[in-house]
Amino acid sequence: MKILIINGVNLNMLGKREVDVYGTESLLDLENKLNALNFEANLEFFQSNSEEEIINKIHTHKDEKYDFGIFNFGAHTHTNISIRDAILSVGFPFYEIHISNVFAREEFRHTSFFSDIAKGSIVGFGFDGYEFALTKIMRGKNGS
Ligand code: DQA
């Protein structure tokens, strides 16, 4: 199993930004947590604040042939059609994640350019959302 975990804009600031919303743990803490689950999977972590880099990374699916993606595009979720088109252009199956409950926040966060093309969306469960997505992907593999 080869899984690409993308965290987009401003998610490198986890642990430092709006800790009341996103908590005190860092992106590295998240990556360590997911690695510590010891799933029989190759987890590749990618974070960028650049739209171009994110799009280019998604395009690598053509050659890399990831089994699944776990994507949190941060604010790009609510605005970005180019990243959506990148996913569609390579047919990348993915779960959409949001650490915070976007539906309990400003109205502009209630719209996602990704929910309708995601296999599922998990919002408001903090870092546990990533763990659940990963568990689900691994279960799918074993059919349980
Ligand atoms: C976020 C929610 C977005 O609205 C916000 O812009 C983020 C983080 C989340 O994980 O809760 O940067 O994607």
Side-chain angles (χ1 to χ4, degrees):
M1 265 309 212
K2 202 168 152 188
I3 298 165
L4 177 64
I5 301 166
I6 298 183
N7 280 293
V9 280
N10 293 313
L11 290 162
N12 58 313
M13 297 299 286
L14 285 174
K16 295 185 200 116
R17 69 182 285 215
E18 299 163 275
V19 291
D20 50 322
V21 179
Y22 300 112
T24 54
E25 290 180 293
S26 69
L27 185 60
L28 186 62
D29 291 332
L30 170 65
E31 295 176 359
N32 288 339
K33 249 183 198 184
L34 297 180
N35 279 328
L37 294 171
N38 279 323
F39 280 123
E40 273 180 40
N42 173 357
L43 305 185
E44 183 178 337
F45 296 99
F46 183 79
Q47 191 280 326
S48 178
N49 294 321
S50 149
E51 177 193 46
E52 183 183 353
E53 283 179 11
I54 291 171
I55 289 170
N56 288 340
K57 188 69 191 174
I58 290 167
H59 286 167
T60 68
H61 177 58
K62 269 193 307 190
D63 303 315
E64 295 290 338
K65 305 208 184 327
Y66 295 99
D67 292 290
F68 228 90
I70 298 176
F71 299 156
N72 181 351
F73 294 121
H76 276 151
T77 303
H78 319 297
T79 59
N80 199 298
I81 299 169
S82 310
I83 297 176
R84 174 192 171 96
D85 282 349
I87 293 171
L88 292 175
S89 76
V90 294
F92 207 141
F94 71 102
Y95 286 126
E96 174 188 16
I97 305 287
H98 298 289
I99 295 165
S100 65
N101 180 1
V102 284
F103 298 108
R105 301 181 64 194
E106 303 96 321
E107 209 172 326
F108 62 81
R109 294 185 205 275
H110 300 183
T111 302
S112 165
F113 281 100
F114 299 92
S115 300
D116 65 310
I117 58 167
K119 298 287 178 197
S121 300
I122 304 167
V123 311
F125 290 95
F127 285 4
D128 289 350
Y130 293 83
E131 181 173 336
F132 180 72
L134 201 48
T135 305
K136 191 78 187 131
I137 294 164
M138 296 310 291
R139 270 199 202 142
K141 179 194 165 203
N142 300 320
S144 55

